[in-house]
Structure formats: structure tokens, C-alpha cells
Amino acid sequence: MKKSFDVMIVGIGGQGTILASNVLGEACLIEGRSVKGAETHGMAQRGGSVESQIRIDGEFGPLIIPGTADLLIAFDLLEAVRYRHYLKEGGMMIVNNQLVLPTSAFSSGQPVPTIDDISTMLDGEHTAIVDATAIATAAGSPLAANIALLGAASHTIPLRVESLIEGVRRCVPQKTIPINEHAFLEGREAVKSI
Amino acid sequence: MEKRYLLGNVAIAHACREAGVDFISGYPGTPSSEVIDTLRTVPEPGCHLEWSVNEKVAYENALAAAWCGCRALVTMKHVGVNVAADPLMTSSYTGVTGGMVLLAADDPFAHSSQNEQDSRMYAAFAKIPCIDPASIQDAHDGIIRAFDLSEEFGLPVMIRPTTRICHSKGDIELGERATGHRKGTFQRNPKQYVVIPAHTRILHKELNQKQPGIRKRLIEYGFNTAVVRGEKAVIAGGISAEYIREILPDDISIATIGAYPIDEEWLAAFVSRHTEILVIEEMMPIIEGAVREVACGQVIYGKKNGYLPHEGEFSPSIIADALLAAGYITAHPFPTVSPAGNLPVRPPILCAGCMHRSTFYSMKKVFKDGIFPSDIGCYTLGLQLGAVDTTICMGASITVASGINRSGEERDVVCTIGDSTFLHTGINGLINAVYNGADIVVVILDNRITAMTGHQPNPNTCLTASGTESPAVSLEALCRSCGVTFVETVDPYDLSLLLDTMKRAKEEKGVRVIIARQPCVIVARRAGWKRHKYMVEADTCTGCRLCIKYGCPAIEFHDEVARINDLCTGCAVCADICPAGAIRREVKR
Ligand code: SF4
Ligand code: SF4
């Protein structure tokens, strides 16, 4: 039935999930493959939890069915937990080692989860937690964290590395191409062991 | 021909250029806004383009351009059609000369809306054709067809993409941009354009006579198609047609409905070849109604007998549930999973440094047991701060406030409305409140932009949609001219002045207007404005959490002290709130 490779990219409004999904879309175009995607616009982008769904080789609707995604890329640890149920059994999860706590966590009076708590929850053979912000900063700008994370996920994505890098070039601002290329490759390097 | 990876609304915008549209108007509203936002930023749009002040104004402008022979596009969200409904209902009588397309973007699941109304009903009500795309490519191609249909039948045509079309992406085949544009000329014809009773009765008859031809043409154009494969059938409309294709067994027939009105003969012929029919469409059971009307003995599964929900958006899993319940499949194709429980929620929140936050804070401080009607915009998020008691539709804060006050309610009524919403339909309520002796405080949250839908300019921004300067609108002068005598403008970052002004307003009677003015922080950042960030001196912080209660997302709380993260935009309000004086401007070493 399902022929597509389904990727969920999740994070917080304003973190650049849409740009990351555009890179995958462009890479599909480069390889002449069909692609469908859905994303959050509007009110939720004001710091709310957001998702981009991309179906590589997708031919039908844009929505990924919970429990069937092949890959989850999370820009924030808490969002990884929130969307984990979208993954199929054995699906890969690439997570940025960053935790931005929502204001609700401080005003609710409940114990506030820490990076360690959540990392332990997520730990498993199909999970890679990557310090994408540090990699991006070393490459020249913390703003390239989304691309570093894509690099880290690139081993799992059924698209050629060259297509992905060309996708990066097409999607990021002209001036930042070298930084982003660098961030992508360093991110890719960071999870070589998987 | 060129293939690109595009957002639905961007593909729609491109199609408008391929169709050679000459006149574009609309009012922003999720999920429709990116169509005009795309067109207004392309180099040489070659046509007139405007953000109008509301949907009725937008619709009437586009209608007039189409009367002058231009191709006109008007865009809005589904609830915007309510505002435009007055001209819409009669524009099908007068008809058009140039092509006119109404893009009404529906929002099943109300991702970003106050209701889940179904614009297909409006098209049926006005007796105009309605294209209901199943995919982005359908929406793109449908726009071009819509202009042709409009000119052929001399009627406005609606296209109603849903959120999952507008805000999804795909590889889309684009055509060539049309070259050359029409210049409008008005041809006097009172029998068509002056709808006095004597004329309108004839026009209504002519409108009805157009209907059979429209139904046939929609079939010829391939909007509504059918494939017979077995005894059982599925009929699906809009995006549901894409979802069902993903899971439909090979021996089940399928008809897809991509445009209305549906030709009954065609539908009856398809229905009569089957014994069981499952109808799948989001929101109103319109196709289902038509199927039930032409059925003779077939078993129909749909919303009316509980196989599918009447509300919300569909997904492949919901459709699989219906297939299973109707016995079309024997096992559910998808795993059952549930999300992790007990996580701190992350709803959208007013930005760090947003001017609305300090305004809400002051209102609550001064009007302790006040009632707070509000309106539609980013500031609806003031709900989280306990400063929003009602929201119903655009412009309904001032009217609800005066209604509550005149009902005999004795507490103070303090309403909030954004600048764009005030100019949209709020001002009528203000005139009415003054005229009818209401006793209310109106706070205009003036951030000089239509923020929530993506920062579109409005008359108060002094810029048009295409970026040319426009004359300034004075909200103060407008309010005064409505008869308001208490009109005070304050900088909402100046907390003591704001509190003071609210206190003075509380002492007065009648309609009092406070204009809180400060640019939206996102716009300010894009314009290169920089303010120093703020920080908490950990030693001085007493851990009282008053700043946390203020609700700015830049303020965190760890190890019994507050901490400011780098979302801070330096509005300085928290420094005024902190009773210990622990918050101060960051000094760069
Ligand atoms: S976008 Fe502007 S108006 Fe909206 S919450 Fe942010 S600062 Fe406030
Ligand atoms: S100064 Fe205080 S209230 Fe203003 S943005 Fe910074 S942390 Fe938030």
C-alpha cells in the first residue's frame, strides 16, 4: 500500500522546520521524484508546537498516519516526545539536544522536566541525540542548526547526499550557503556511527 | 511547463498569473493569506492589487472590476464570506463580464478559525459554480478553469481549497505566465447593474436558466469523474478523494466530486450501477444529500447514519474506519498508537515583548472585576492571561461590550480590538456605542499591522499591499469624529503611564477610548530595531514569581530564581513589575 518514505519534522514555531522540509522537497525535485507535504502556518507559529510532514515519493494526500512515519526529526527534546507516536516500529529519530520549556511549564507549578529526564525517555537504538546548535555554531552560525540536523538525518533519508546539499543551496539565503553546507556535512559526520 | 515544489497558496497565486488576472483584492485570513502575499511581492505584477479593509469591500471592488471586463480575483477565509455575503448573493444575479473568481479558503478542524463552516453551501445558496480541489495541482488547474467558466456563464465562480491544500506542499506542474492585461471599461446597462425589483426578477430567472448548462460543463471539464469497478462504490469530494485513493481496494468503484453543482443525471447513472455507496466529504453532507436524492434502493453510508463525523478534518485513518464499518475492508490498515501523556503543553503565545501583554496586564490590574470582550487577532491569545472573556467574529468586541453594558450588567466593561480589526468592522460598533449611550472602555491595540495572518499592511500602516506609501489614517481623529471625548494614546511599554491612563478612564463615564501604540515586535525586528536585552540579578531575585505570572516567554524559572533567555526583546516591562528591582538592562562587557 504505502510506497512513500514519510518524514515528520517537528519543533517550535520560528525554529525553521519549514526551511528544513523545503530542502527535502527540492531534493526530491532534483531527483525527479514526487513529493507531498503538509505544514503548520497561522496562529501556532507564535511559539507553539509545529510540525512539517514530508512524504518522499508521495502520490496521495499530504498527511502522515500516526504509527507509520519512517523518520522523525525533532528540533527540541520535548517535541520529540510529543510526536514520537507518529513513528513506525523501528523508525529512526534524530533529535536536537535542546530543550526550550514552554511558559506553561513554569506557571503550572508541576515539576519542570530537565534535558537529562527527557534524553533518558527517548534513549534507544533508533534514536540519535545531536547537539545541532553547537555544530551549527562551529560551522559559523547557530541559525544553521536546522540544516545540521538534516545532515545528521541524511544517512536515513532515501535521497542522494548531493541532491540534499543542492537542496540546501537552493533554500538558504545566498550569503549563508557556505555556512549551511558546512553545517550539513558536520551534522552528517556527527552520527556516522549509526 | 516547469515543475516546482510549492505551497498550495503559492501554486494558486502562480495560476492566477497564468490566467492573466488583472485585478486582485482580499482581506487576510488563515488559510488564504499567502495567495495575495505571494502576488504582492512578485516583480511586475502588472495588475491592480490591494489588501482591502474588509471582505465586503474587497468583494465589491473585484465585482466592479469584473463588470468593467477585467479578470478579477478576490480572496478571503471562509468566515470572510459571511462579511462578503451581501454582495455575493446578488452578484450572481447581475453576473459579470470579465472573469471573477472568489477564493474562499475553508478550515476544517478550525486550525486557525472561529468555526468550521462549509463554503460550498454559500456557492449553492448564491447559485454559482464551486470548484473543490482534491490536491494542489487541482487547485492550480482549477483557478485557470474557473476564469474560463466565469466568462462562459457570466457568473462569479468560487474555488474553496481547504487548509490541507492551502498549507500543504507538492511538486506542481506550472504553465506560462499570461502576457498583456485588460483595461477596464464600464458599459452602462441598468437592467443588469441596477437591481431594482423589476430588473432583479428577470435576472433571477436568467440565473436559474444557466444552471443545467453549468452542470454539464463541469462533467465535460472532468471535475467530476467516475470509474466503475464493482458492486460497491465510494463517492468522495475535495481532499478526501486523495485520502481514499491511498487505501481503496481494487474492486470498489470510485467517483470523485471536484465541482458543484453536481449533474443529477450523471450521478444517478453512477449510483444505479451499485448496491452500496459510501460517501466521504468533510463538513456538510452535500454530496450525500444529492446521492440520497437519486438513490433507488441502494444502501448509503455517510454522515447521516453515523459512518463519518459531521465535524473536523478527515485523514486516511478516519476514512479507513468508515471503510471498515461499512464492511468494504476486513481489517484496519493502520496501527493503533497514542501520544505521550502528561507533557507540558505548548500552545501559541504572545511574543516576548508583545505590546498586548502589558496592556492586558494593566487592564486586569485597574479593572479588577471588569468584563473583557475581545476580538480576532494575535491578542485573542490574551485568553491565557485571563483578559479575554468573549470573541465571536471580526469587529465584535465593541458591539459585545456595549450590549453587555446596556443589558444592565453593572461591572466595568473594557474591550480590546486591534487596529486592523477596528478598521475592518469595529468602527461601526464604536459609532453605535456612542450614539446609543454605552458606558464602556475601548482599548485599541495599535501595532500598525495585521499581525496574526502574517503581517499584512493595512491603512494604519501607511503602506499599500505593493509597498507604496499611503496617506496616514488617524485613529484618534476617527474616534473623536464618532463623538468620543476621552481619547488617550499611550506607549504600552510605559507601564506607569498605561496604569495611570486606565485609572483615569475608570473615573469617567460614556465611551472612553485608549489607543495603546507600539509596533509589533516581529515587524520591529525585521525593520532592524534593536533594544537592549534585560536580565535578572540572581542575588536580588526573591523568587516571588510575579514576573513569571506576567507570562513573557523569555522569562524562565530555575532553582528558585527567575532567568531571562534570549527571546527577550527588551520591552522593559518586567523590570517595572519586579518588586525587588532584580531585573535590569543587560550591560555588555
Ligand atoms: S506577532 Fe506581533 S502582535 Fe503578534 S504576538 Fe507577536 S508581537 Fe504580538
Ligand atoms: S524585557 Fe522582560 S518582559 Fe520584555 S521581553 Fe524581555 S523578558 Fe520579556
Side-chain angles (χ1 to χ4, degrees), chain B residues 352-353 534 550 552 554-555 564 567-575:
Chain B
Y534 276 67
Y550 180 59
C552 172
I555 311 180
I564 293 180
L567 292 174
C568 174
T569 56
C571 75
V573 175
C574 59

Coordinates of all heavy atoms in Angstrom, one line a residue, chain B residues 352-353 534 550 552 554-555 564 567-575, ligand 2:
Chain B
A352 N 7.6 37.4 23.0 CA 8.3 38.2 24.1 C 8.3 39.6 23.7 O 8.7 40.0 22.6 CB 9.7 37.6 24.2
G353 N 7.8 40.5 24.6 CA 7.8 41.9 24.4 C 6.6 42.4 23.6 O 6.6 43.6 23.2
Y534 N 17.2 42.4 28.7 CA 17.1 42.5 30.1 C 17.6 41.2 30.8 O 17.7 40.2 30.2 CB 15.7 42.9 30.6 CG 15.5 44.4 30.5 CD1 15.5 45.0 29.2 CD2 15.4 45.2 31.6 CE1 15.4 46.4 29.1 CE2 15.3 46.6 31.5 CZ 15.3 47.2 30.2 OH 15.2 48.5 30.1
Y550 N 3.5 37.3 34.8 CA 3.3 38.2 33.7 C 3.2 37.4 32.3 O 2.6 37.9 31.4 CB 4.5 39.2 33.7 CG 4.4 40.2 32.6 CD1 3.3 41.1 32.5 CD2 5.4 40.4 31.6 CE1 3.2 42.0 31.4 CE2 5.3 41.3 30.6 CZ 4.2 42.1 30.5 OH 4.1 43.1 29.5
C552 N 5.6 36.4 30.0 CA 6.5 36.6 28.9 C 7.3 35.3 28.6 O 7.9 34.8 29.5 CB 7.5 37.7 29.1 SG 8.7 37.9 27.8
A554 N 10.1 34.9 27.5 CA 11.5 35.0 27.7 C 11.9 34.8 29.1 O 13.1 34.7 29.5 CB 12.0 36.4 27.2
I555 N 10.9 34.7 30.0 CA 11.2 34.6 31.4 C 11.1 33.1 31.9 O 10.0 32.5 31.7 CB 10.4 35.5 32.3 CG1 10.4 36.9 31.7 CG2 10.9 35.5 33.8 CD1 9.6 37.9 32.5
I564 N 16.2 35.2 32.4 CA 15.7 35.7 31.1 C 16.5 35.1 30.0 O 17.7 35.1 30.0 CB 15.7 37.3 31.1 CG1 14.7 37.8 32.1 CG2 15.4 37.8 29.7 CD1 14.7 39.3 32.2
L567 N 15.1 35.1 24.1 CA 13.9 35.6 23.3 C 13.6 37.0 23.7 O 12.8 37.7 23.0 CB 12.7 34.7 23.7 CG 12.7 33.3 23.2 CD1 11.5 32.5 23.7 CD2 12.7 33.2 21.7
C568 N 14.2 37.5 24.8 CA 13.9 38.9 25.3 C 14.1 39.9 24.2 O 15.1 39.9 23.5 CB 14.8 39.2 26.5 SG 14.7 40.9 27.0
T569 N 13.1 40.8 24.0 CA 13.2 41.9 23.0 C 13.4 43.2 23.7 O 13.3 44.2 23.0 CB 12.0 41.9 22.1 OG1 10.8 42.0 22.9 CG2 11.9 40.6 21.3
G570 N 13.6 43.2 25.0 CA 13.9 44.5 25.7 C 12.8 45.5 25.9 O 13.1 46.7 25.9
C571 N 11.6 45.0 26.1 CA 10.5 45.9 26.3 C 10.5 46.6 27.6 O 9.9 47.6 27.8 CB 9.1 45.2 26.1 SG 8.7 44.2 27.5
A572 N 11.2 46.0 28.6 CA 11.5 46.6 29.9 C 10.3 46.5 30.9 O 10.4 47.0 32.0 CB 11.9 48.0 29.8
V573 N 9.2 45.9 30.4 CA 8.0 45.9 31.3 C 8.2 45.1 32.6 O 7.8 45.5 33.7 CB 6.8 45.5 30.5 CG1 5.6 45.3 31.4 CG2 6.5 46.4 29.4
C574 N 8.9 43.9 32.4 CA 9.1 43.1 33.6 C 9.9 43.8 34.6 O 9.8 43.5 35.8 CB 9.7 41.7 33.2 SG 11.3 41.9 32.4
A575 N 10.8 44.7 34.2 CA 11.7 45.4 35.2 C 10.8 46.3 36.1 O 11.0 46.5 37.2 CB 12.7 46.2 34.5
Ligands
SF4_2 S1 12.2 42.9 28.9 FE1 11.2 41.4 30.2 S2 9.1 41.3 29.6 FE2 10.2 42.4 28.0 S3 10.7 40.8 26.5 FE3 12.5 41.0 27.9 S4 12.0 39.4 29.5 FE4 10.1 39.8 28.4

